[in-house]
Coordinates of all heavy atoms in Angstrom, one line a residue:
L266 N 23.0 -94.3 -27.3 CA 24.1 -95.2 -26.9 C 23.6 -95.9 -25.5 O 23.9 -97.0 -25.3 CB 25.4 -94.5 -26.7 CG 26.1 -94.2 -28.0 CD1 27.4 -93.3 -27.7 CD2 26.6 -95.4 -28.7
A267 N 22.9 -95.1 -24.7 CA 22.4 -95.7 -23.4 C 21.4 -96.8 -23.6 O 21.3 -97.7 -22.8 CB 21.8 -94.6 -22.6
H268 N 20.7 -96.8 -24.7 CA 19.6 -97.7 -24.8 C 19.7 -98.7 -26.1 O 18.8 -99.5 -26.3 CB 18.2 -97.0 -24.9 CG 17.9 -96.3 -23.7 ND1 17.6 -96.9 -22.5 CD2 17.7 -94.9 -23.4 CE1 17.3 -96.0 -21.6 NE2 17.4 -94.8 -22.1
V269 N 20.8 -98.5 -26.8 CA 20.9 -99.3 -28.1 C 20.9 -100.8 -27.8 O 20.4 -101.6 -28.7 CB 22.1 -98.8 -28.9 CG1 23.4 -99.3 -28.2 CG2 22.0 -99.3 -30.3
E270 N 21.4 -101.3 -26.7 CA 21.4 -102.7 -26.5 C 20.0 -103.2 -26.4 O 19.7 -104.3 -27.0 CB 22.2 -103.0 -25.2 CG 23.7 -102.8 -25.3 CD 24.3 -102.7 -24.0 OE1 24.1 -101.8 -23.3 OE2 25.1 -103.7 -23.6
A271 N 19.1 -102.5 -25.7 CA 17.7 -102.9 -25.6 C 17.0 -102.8 -26.9 O 16.0 -103.5 -27.2 CB 17.0 -102.1 -24.5
M272 N 17.4 -101.8 -27.7 CA 16.7 -101.6 -29.0 C 17.1 -102.6 -30.1 O 16.5 -102.7 -31.1 CB 17.1 -100.2 -29.5 CG 16.5 -99.1 -28.6 SD 16.6 -97.4 -29.4 CE 18.4 -97.2 -29.6
T273 N 18.3 -103.3 -29.9 CA 18.8 -104.1 -31.0 C 17.9 -105.2 -31.5 O 17.8 -105.5 -32.7 CB 20.2 -104.7 -30.5 OG1 21.1 -103.6 -30.2 CG2 20.7 -105.6 -31.6
A274 N 17.1 -105.8 -30.6 CA 16.1 -106.8 -31.0 C 15.2 -106.3 -32.1 O 14.6 -107.0 -32.9 CB 15.4 -107.4 -29.8
F275 N 14.9 -105.0 -32.1 CA 14.0 -104.3 -33.0 C 14.7 -103.9 -34.3 O 14.1 -103.8 -35.3 CB 13.2 -103.2 -32.3 CG 12.5 -103.6 -31.1 CD1 13.1 -103.5 -29.9 CD2 11.2 -104.1 -31.2 CE1 12.5 -104.0 -28.7 CE2 10.5 -104.5 -30.0 CZ 11.2 -104.4 -28.8
L276 N 16.0 -103.5 -34.1 CA 16.8 -103.0 -35.2 C 17.3 -104.2 -36.0 O 17.6 -104.0 -37.2 CB 17.9 -102.2 -34.7 CG 17.6 -100.9 -33.9 CD1 18.8 -100.2 -33.4 CD2 16.6 -100.0 -34.6
N277 N 17.4 -105.3 -35.4 CA 18.0 -106.5 -36.0 C 17.2 -107.7 -35.6 O 17.6 -108.5 -34.7 CB 19.5 -106.7 -35.6 CG 20.3 -105.4 -35.8 OD1 20.4 -104.6 -34.9 ND2 20.9 -105.3 -37.0
P278 N 16.1 -108.0 -36.3 CA 15.0 -108.9 -35.8 C 15.1 -110.3 -36.3 O 14.1 -111.0 -36.2 CB 13.7 -108.2 -36.3 CG 14.2 -107.6 -37.6 CD 15.6 -107.2 -37.5
T279 N 16.3 -110.8 -36.7 CA 16.4 -112.2 -37.1 C 17.7 -112.8 -36.5 O 18.6 -112.1 -36.2 CB 16.4 -112.4 -38.6 OG1 17.6 -111.8 -39.2 CG2 15.1 -111.7 -39.2
E280 N 17.8 -114.1 -36.5 CA 19.0 -114.8 -36.0 C 20.1 -114.4 -37.0 O 21.3 -114.2 -36.5 CB 18.8 -116.3 -36.0 CG 19.9 -117.1 -35.5 CD 20.1 -116.9 -34.0 OE1 19.1 -117.1 -33.2 OE2 21.2 -116.4 -33.5
E281 N 19.8 -114.3 -38.3 CA 20.9 -114.0 -39.3 C 21.5 -112.7 -39.1 O 22.6 -112.4 -39.4 CB 20.2 -114.1 -40.7 CG 21.2 -113.9 -41.8 CD 20.4 -113.9 -43.1 OE1 19.3 -114.5 -43.2 OE2 20.9 -113.2 -44.1
S282 N 20.7 -111.8 -38.4 CA 21.2 -110.4 -38.2 C 22.5 -110.4 -37.5 O 23.4 -109.5 -37.7 CB 20.2 -109.6 -37.4 OG 19.0 -109.5 -38.1
Y283 N 22.7 -111.3 -36.6 CA 23.9 -111.3 -35.6 C 25.1 -111.9 -36.2 O 26.2 -111.7 -35.7 CB 23.5 -111.9 -34.3 CG 22.3 -111.1 -33.7 CD1 21.0 -111.3 -34.1 CD2 22.5 -110.0 -32.9 CE1 20.0 -110.5 -33.7 CE2 21.5 -109.2 -32.5 CZ 20.2 -109.5 -32.9 OH 19.2 -108.7 -32.5
S284 N 25.0 -112.6 -37.3 CA 26.2 -113.0 -38.0 C 26.8 -111.9 -38.9 O 28.0 -112.0 -39.4 CB 25.9 -114.2 -38.9 OG 24.9 -113.8 -39.9
R285 N 26.1 -110.8 -39.0 CA 26.7 -109.6 -39.7 C 27.6 -108.7 -38.9 O 28.5 -108.1 -39.4 CB 25.5 -108.8 -40.3 CG 25.8 -107.5 -40.9 CD 24.6 -106.7 -41.4 NE 24.9 -105.3 -41.5 CZ 24.5 -104.4 -40.7 NH1 23.8 -104.7 -39.6 NH2 24.8 -103.1 -40.8
F286 N 27.3 -108.7 -37.6 CA 28.0 -107.8 -36.7 C 29.5 -108.1 -36.6 O 29.9 -109.2 -36.6 CB 27.4 -107.8 -35.3 CG 26.1 -107.1 -35.1 CD1 25.3 -107.4 -34.0 CD2 25.6 -106.3 -36.1 CE1 24.1 -106.7 -33.8 CE2 24.4 -105.7 -35.9 CZ 23.6 -105.9 -34.8
G287 N 30.3 -107.0 -36.6 CA 31.7 -107.1 -36.3 C 32.6 -107.4 -37.5 O 33.8 -107.6 -37.3
S288 N 32.1 -107.4 -38.7 CA 32.9 -107.6 -39.8 C 32.4 -106.9 -41.0 O 31.2 -106.5 -41.0 CB 33.0 -109.1 -40.2 OG 31.7 -109.6 -40.5
W289 N 33.2 -106.7 -42.0 CA 32.8 -106.0 -43.3 C 32.0 -104.7 -43.0 O 31.0 -104.4 -43.5 CB 31.9 -107.0 -44.1 CG 32.5 -108.2 -44.6 CD1 32.6 -109.4 -44.0 CD2 33.3 -108.4 -45.8 NE1 33.3 -110.3 -44.8 CE2 33.7 -109.7 -45.9 CE3 33.6 -107.5 -46.9 CZ2 34.4 -110.2 -47.0 CZ3 34.3 -108.0 -47.9 CH2 34.7 -109.3 -48.0
K290 N 32.6 -103.9 -42.2 CA 32.1 -102.5 -41.9 C 30.9 -102.5 -41.0 O 30.3 -101.5 -40.8 CB 31.9 -101.7 -43.2 CG 33.1 -101.5 -44.0 CD 32.8 -100.6 -45.2 CE 34.0 -100.4 -46.1 NZ 33.7 -99.6 -47.3
A291 N 30.4 -103.7 -40.6 CA 29.3 -103.7 -39.6 C 29.8 -103.6 -38.2 O 30.8 -104.2 -37.9 CB 28.5 -105.0 -39.8
P292 N 29.2 -102.8 -37.4 CA 29.7 -102.5 -36.0 C 29.6 -103.7 -35.1 O 28.7 -104.6 -35.3 CB 28.8 -101.3 -35.5 CG 27.5 -101.5 -36.3 CD 27.9 -102.0 -37.6

Side-chain angles (χ1 to χ4, degrees):
L266 286 172
H268 294 297
V269 71
E270 290 162 293
M272 297 191 296
T273 297
F275 303 91
L276 304 178
N277 306 92
T279 67
E280 186 70 56
E281 183 185 332
S282 299
Y283 298 84
S284 61
R285 171 178 160 260
F286 285 166
S288 64
W289 295 92
K290 297 182 182 178

